[in-house]
């Protein structure tokens, strides 16, 4: 009889072949999913929301991460708070999923009442000796980086988020995401493992055949190419385009827009990459014709041709353009289910139907998200097949995937797997 | 690497802090759910039905408890029987879920045929040597206590049900529940652990803010209060009301209605509590205006002001009033799913639209059940949150919860956990 | 405390009582389900499709077996191929579930392109050094036996399929199933374990009370009976009918139609049974009046009265008659869910509405499948009940079930359980 016990997670990690996709179990197994949630969604910084999700004092929104629920709110002093959505009496959820307006946080079960700071101020029938001071709602480590809310659910948040913070505060400043407006939000549940969602996002090898709308403004070859696989004409154009980057990056930086690629990937704890990318065609925005969707530009931006400042994290990808931004965050729901949440941001004073047309603003990424969802499902189904064996990443176009899974393995190892 | 094995159930029990709600795993884990089903729903007496569910000879109804299905039936001699709903040939279900009328029990698969006693009388094609006598349908230990059907699925049913039987036969006699009529039945599946359903039922701390309809006839302070947390006026009224109990209980008992509180809780095997409670306002019944819903009183009752004889078990709660009774039983479906079944009983000769109005009869507990279902869901979701830690029960208003979970732990221990 | 660990599969096998249905866990447990899928659906030959599912070059259809997906296709030379539906790059499904027409197999994700033979011919961006030759799509062991497609997903397919092949090529030749037409296909998901689906199929003890439509043409007594359980008249008729078989089988064989029962059951690896059965009543076909449904007979058949050549496998049953054939295959979906797929075959030139009426062709087995689905659900529910204990098979009418579960246990043992 063969040994029928499943491999340990550690043995699965050992079995990975360099340069190849992961062994199936790391995408499909429930124990790996539990480890992933714990390590990557509770012990690392994750991007979960926006300051402008709660623009006014008293605005609150819940954030669900696995079985954890957080309350992101703006208190009466206009400060952002992130606290746990579980009453300190018998644990009940204080706020229902979604948006609320609150002056105090009152548990609907027994009326325990908390300040927006989390301080417990009223607990009926608990007696004179009851010490309210040790029953405040639990706070959560968070950072607003240029208006993007990152949280870490552990007590020991990774310190190297400092680099992300330093780099992105500077890059995001002119877009003033803190004061932006969420023009639209769209959720989709992809039928695949969260790492397949991220792998799919880290290459554009699949773009030309799958994303006709995105390819108007996006240049798939920015993500690498094998010169030998292109026609002589395509190869020349690709090489010309690569050369453009040096020139364009120098110009942008001279104009005060930090643009060069900065990466903190494998070898680090907090994973991110940013670079200002050239927008193709009309050169302004990720819209059906690559022209700006919003006449009112973001923040203090004065030009539409400032490219696309992309930002990747291990649970997010973002595109900041002159006229609007697209912010996409993911939360794993099960080994084979991933929530993908997309938000489109415009200037807070931009008026729908006047300054921007909602359809023009959203159509490219709505289509892209839909296409990617189908690809991730196709990918997960095939990986769950007993016939699957890890395949080779292209060194030209899938280097970022190799880097991501290398980081993934490092981080599980660092947490004892 | 941390030890990532889940704690044993025994270690979870050890980790409980006195006076506090249970550790999360006891509410959420699948292995605990399996243990709960085995210990509390197979090895203890549980309330599952009514004699008047099967008023006529040949009436049968199935009762589902986890993957077990029982047949409650009335045989040709008018006797109640409870037998297992699994053919002794290849196991097939004999009766479909719900109500049937039967003269024999004939398995639809291969026509094995049983008397209503369970005796196998026909098994085609089994040959001359086949011994039918050892293939009777399996009987189930049951008791009708004042018309309430209790079963125990183990071969070793707890003996201390005797106290419940002695007390409740006497108290229920004048209501004649055996001959009552089920006027209405309503099922809801609560999205929470069964112990949260019971905990929710064992306190009225949540009533004033959540059950406006019930509070017309129900007095939440009957379930305890902290004098210091009330306004001087409320406190005085509460204390006056408490004093009323002595007087009213003496009167009722003098009139031949046993009324004083009797409890058999922690420290015992079979868990129950009964007491005759005062109905507020008009004082008659749990209806929107606290007046009787049925003009025809139950059994031999001659007065509408005989209060509310409540009866709690570990899977039930009941209210017996002059004009009607409400009987609520629960069955766990999963660690986070609980079936709550409510039945409203009236005199067998009471005629809908003449003696009682169905809406007046049912509206208070329909509303209350709905509200409680939302609270249990809110409670379970928060307890499943990694932020949850057990919180303190109020010594004034949640003493019955502390007693219940103490009993729960004792009973798991007694069964080897 | 009792030992609460579940029994090993091996201990479950040990606990089986001869002549009785299996212990519950072998029908209900998830670990047994995983073992069953591995042993019976990956390491044995299973019947999964038909040559005539893909009549033309370029026709392809996917076959799902657990999480495995296969592509059954006909290549440009008219040859049948069965290959794994998982790209050798990052595993993505090449074809969507269902039917396709293909000239190459192009992965929608990154356009890796394969010949219909599985050979990889194009893999963009993989570089000059990339060796395509070791990245062909994986082939699957398969056999077309008289047009029925059998596959074995392991690398070591059982050799004793040779007997099945030799016997059935000869018996199926006159029906020319390779060139038949699939007139109708119907899927149902039964709420029961796959072994209950097969057990249900291996006896007709349940037919007389459950399958009125089938019993017009089917003779339940062919599957055994206890003479003592029949009325004298029924017994005489049954015995007369049994005697008919010798005569009729001799006639058929004299006419060149192999007809005698041939079995390869317990004691062997590949499980099958075939026999030419007498059709009751009008004697032609399994239709509502037992007359042929199709005026155009199958293959080179010249007579409608050639009986019913039945063929059983461990995941299939088939009936080949003069005018049409019914082919039923099953695939387990979960311990308690089984896909049953029924196909009705007629001559490739038979025209609906002219040569045959679809309703007459399909109604008997549509009704039978529906009835059996309800019986399997009833059976599974009862077996999952803690009250279930294995019951005795009738030695007269359920000998084939005893043989099947004996084989089942042998095969698990042979694979190390």
């Amino acid at each position: 009889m063969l040994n029928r016990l499943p491999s340990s997670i550690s043995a699965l990690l050992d079995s990975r072949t360099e340069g190849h996709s992961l062994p199936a179990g790391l995408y499909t197994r429930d124990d790996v999913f539990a480890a992933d949630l714990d390590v990557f969604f509770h012990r690392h910084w994750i991007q979960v929301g926006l300051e402008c999700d709660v623009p006014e004092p008293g605005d609150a929104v819940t954030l669900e991460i696995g079985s954890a629920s957080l309350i992101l709110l703006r208190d009466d002093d206009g400060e952002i708070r992130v606290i746990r959505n579980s009453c300190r009496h018998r644990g009940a959820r204080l706020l229902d999923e979604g948006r609320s307006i609150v002056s105090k946080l009152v548990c609907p079960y027994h009326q325990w009442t908390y300040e927006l700071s989390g301080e417990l101020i009223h607990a009926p029938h608990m007696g004179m000796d009851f010490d309210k001071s040790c029953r405040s709602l639990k706070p959560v480590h968070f950072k607003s980086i240029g208006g993007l809310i990152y949280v870490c659910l552990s007590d020991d948040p990774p310190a190297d988020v400092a680099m992300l913070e330093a780099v992105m505060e500077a890059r995001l400043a002119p877009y003033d995401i803190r004061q932006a407006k969420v023009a639209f939000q769209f959720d989709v549940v992809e039928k695949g493992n969260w790492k397949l969602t991220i792998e799919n996002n880290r290459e554009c090898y699949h773009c030309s055949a799958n994303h006709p709308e995105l390819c108007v403004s996006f240049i798939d070859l920015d993500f690498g190419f094998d010169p030998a696989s292109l026609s002589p004409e395509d190869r020349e154009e690709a090489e010309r385009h690569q050369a453009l980057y040096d020139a364009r990056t120098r110009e942008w930086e001279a104009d005060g827009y930090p643009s060069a690629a900065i990466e903190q990937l494998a070898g680090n704890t907090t994973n991110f990459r940013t670079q200002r990318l050239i927008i193709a065609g009309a050169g302004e925005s990720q819209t059906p014709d690559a022209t700006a969707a919003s006449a009112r530009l973001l923040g203090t931006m004065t030009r539409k041709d400032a490219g696309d400042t992309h930002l990747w994290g291990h649970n997010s990808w973002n595109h900041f353009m002159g006229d609007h931004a697209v912010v996409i965050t993911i939360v794993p729901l099960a080994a084979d289910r991933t929530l993908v949440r997309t938000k489109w941001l415009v200037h807070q004073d931009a008026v729908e139907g006047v300054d921007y047309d909602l359809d023009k603003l959203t159509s490219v990424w709505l289509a892209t998200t839909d296409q990617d969802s189908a690809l991730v499902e196709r990918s997960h189904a095939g990986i769950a097949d007993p016939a699957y064996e890890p395949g080779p990443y292209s060194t030209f176009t899938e280097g970022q995937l190799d880097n991501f899974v290398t980081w993934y393995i490092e981080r599980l190892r660092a947490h004892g797997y």
Side-chain angles (χ1 to χ4, degrees), chain A residues 6-86:
Chain A
S7 320
S8 67
I9 294 178
S10 170
L12 273 181
L13 297 176
D14 286 344
S15 72
R16 196 230 161 180
T17 305
E18 227 180 295
H20 285 64
S21 56
L22 292 170
L26 293 174
Y27 296 111
T28 59
R29 277 172 38 174
D30 286 342
D31 58 340
V32 174
F33 177 70
D36 278 7
L37 254 192
D38 178 45
V39 170
F40 297 97
F41 289 81
H42 284 190
R43 298 178 189 277
H44 284 76
W45 289 99
I46 52 175
Q47 187 181 339
V48 295
L50 296 160
E51 283 204 35
C52 58
D53 282 329
V54 287
E56 301 295 329
D59 283 350
V61 63
T62 66
L63 306 170
E64 280 69 34
I65 299 151
S67 57
S69 176
L70 312 180
I71 300 172
L72 167 66
L73 64 79
R74 191 175 294 272
D75 70 17
D76 297 337
D77 300 325
E79 297 300 310
I80 294 287
R81 304 265 185 177
V82 186
I83 49 188
R84 300 282 202 160
N85 187 13
S86 177

Side-chain angles (χ1 to χ4, degrees), chain A residues 113-394:
Chain A
T113 304
Y114 304 84
E115 294 289 0
L116 298 189
S117 65
E119 188 194 352
L120 176 61
I121 54 173
H122 183 54
H125 295 297
M126 294 307 292
M128 302 297 285
D129 299 337
F130 180 64
D131 180 6
K132 288 198 284 284
S133 70
C134 61
R135 289 273 154 193
S136 297
L137 294 178
K138 293 181 181 177
V140 175
H141 291 280
F142 77 96
K143 283 181 179 292
S144 166
I145 298 180
L148 312 179
I149 303 294
Y150 288 80
V151 300
C152 177
L153 296 182
S154 86
D155 290 336
D156 185 25
D160 71 348
V161 72
M163 169 75 125
L164 170 67
E165 200 168 6
V167 169
M168 293 311 298
E169 278 290 356
R171 294 197 173 201
L172 293 181
Y175 299 99
D176 198 8
I177 297 301
R178 282 190 172 82
Q179 311 278 347
K181 177 177 88 166
V182 179
F184 196 65
Q185 174 172 329
F186 180 74
D187 286 357
V188 68
V189 175
E190 295 188 349
K191 294 181 184 165
N193 187 263
W194 71 277
K195 297 186 290 292
L196 296 177
T197 300
I198 293 297
E199 289 188 53
N200 178 68
N201 177 257
R202 295 299 122 97
E203 48 96 350
C204 216
Y205 183 0
H206 70 271
C207 289
S208 60
N210 287 284
H211 297 318
E213 299 83 357
L214 185 64
C215 283
V216 171
S217 54
F218 223 70
I219 300 154
D220 60 344
L221 299 177
D222 284 4
F223 292 80
F225 59 92
D226 169 23
S229 76
L230 301 179
S231 69
E233 299 75 39
D234 285 355
R235 185 163 60 238
E236 260 178 56
E237 193 193 316
E239 282 160 0
R240 213 160 40 232
H241 176 71
Q242 293 289 95
L244 238 186
Y245 264 94
D246 283 349
R248 196 65 72 87
T249 300
R250 260 196 311 274
E251 283 171 39
W252 279 326
E253 300 222 325
D255 290 349
Y257 294 113
S259 303
I262 296 182
E263 295 181 343
Q264 182 175 281
L265 303 172
N268 299 278
T269 302
T270 301
N271 183 314
F272 81 94
R273 182 185 198 281
T274 186
Q275 182 180 5
R276 190 177 305 266
L277 301 174
I278 294 170
I279 292 173
E284 297 179 352
S285 193
Q286 288 160 357
T287 60
D289 63 1
T291 63
S294 175
R296 188 75 156 96
L297 300 188
L298 281 170
T300 58
M301 294 296 291
T302 52
R303 49 198 280 188
K304 299 177 176 173
D305 66 345
D308 159 27
T309 294
H310 90 135
L311 169 64
W312 289 343
H314 77 271
N315 86 315
S316 63
W317 56 97
N318 306 265
H319 296 279
F320 303 97
M321 295 158 283
D323 69 321
H324 81 281
V326 179
V327 170
I328 302 179
T329 54
I330 71 168
V331 175
L333 303 179
D336 61 355
R337 289 287 182 282
T338 303
L339 175 70
V340 178
R341 174 163 291 171
T342 306
K343 295 176 186 173
W344 287 261
L345 310 185
V346 294
H347 191 281
Q348 62 180 332
D349 297 332
V351 178
E352 188 184 336
V354 177
D355 296 303
Y356 65 93
D357 174 72
L358 194 60
D359 186 57
K360 179 172 180 182
L361 181 74
T362 58
S363 67
V364 167
W365 276 100
L366 281 176
T368 302
T369 296
D370 198 43
Q371 292 147 357
D372 281 333
S373 181
L375 292 173
V376 167
E377 178 174 356
R378 175 181 296 284
S379 187
H380 190 97
I383 279 167
D385 194 302
Y388 167 77
E389 55 186 78
Y393 292 131
S394 162

